Amino acid sequence: QVQLMESGGGLVQAGGSLRLSCVISGSNFSIHTMGWYRQFPGKQRELVADVTRGITTNYADSVKGRFTISGDNAKGTVDLQMNNLKPEDTAVYFCNADGLLNDEDWLDAFGRGTQVTVTS
């Protein structure tokens, strides 16, 4: 069984920073891509940033230049450094990981989410 545990959400003023962290645990899970998604009220979950094999990064246009993702596949950790936060970044943020489970099944898993609230 694979579990994803997020931490680091909270309340911050516009222009401030937060760092989200996620630990991915589980045996026989070979991680391919780790990332962060967010969900606004009444909206579908959307990709914020991801990192493949700890090297190739991808960002939503709305966060480029403000957010930085870093991940370590071997350790099963992925962080999201969020700088210059804006009220429109307020959302529930979810950790995500995909990869091969037990050498045969493709798994795409999410954590439970952590609230980020940015006040103006």
Side-chain angles (χ1 to χ4, degrees), residues 20-120:
L20 304 183
S21 296
C22 178
V23 177
I24 301 153
S25 60
S27 58
N28 297 321
F29 182 47
S30 179
I31 297 170
H32 181 260
T33 299
M34 298 183 289
W36 289 91
Y37 285 69
R38 65 186 179 186
Q39 188 168 20
F40 304 109
K43 302 289 187 179
Q44 288 194 334
R45 205 171 292 180
E46 64 179 39
L47 177 69
V48 177
D50 63 22
V51 54
T52 299
R53 301 201 181 281
I55 299 173
T56 305
T57 58
N58 176 46
Y59 294 92
D61 287 343
S62 58
V63 306
K64 283 180 181 177
R66 300 188 298 122
F67 292 10
T68 303
I69 190 168
S70 58
D72 187 324
N73 281 30
K75 294 181 179 179
T77 58
V78 59
D79 295 339
L80 185 68
Q81 178 65 42
M82 306 185 293
N83 297 329
N84 190 22
L85 282 159
K86 303 176 180 180
E88 50 265 41
D89 294 317
T90 296
V92 178
Y93 285 71
F94 297 86
C95 178
N96 169 260
D98 65 29
L100 205 58
L101 183 65
N102 297 324
D103 295 325
E104 60 183 10
D105 298 319
W106 189 258
L107 178 68
D108 190 350
F110 285 89
R112 292 186 175 184
T114 184
Q115 176 70 44
V116 171
T117 302
V118 185
T119 61
S120 57

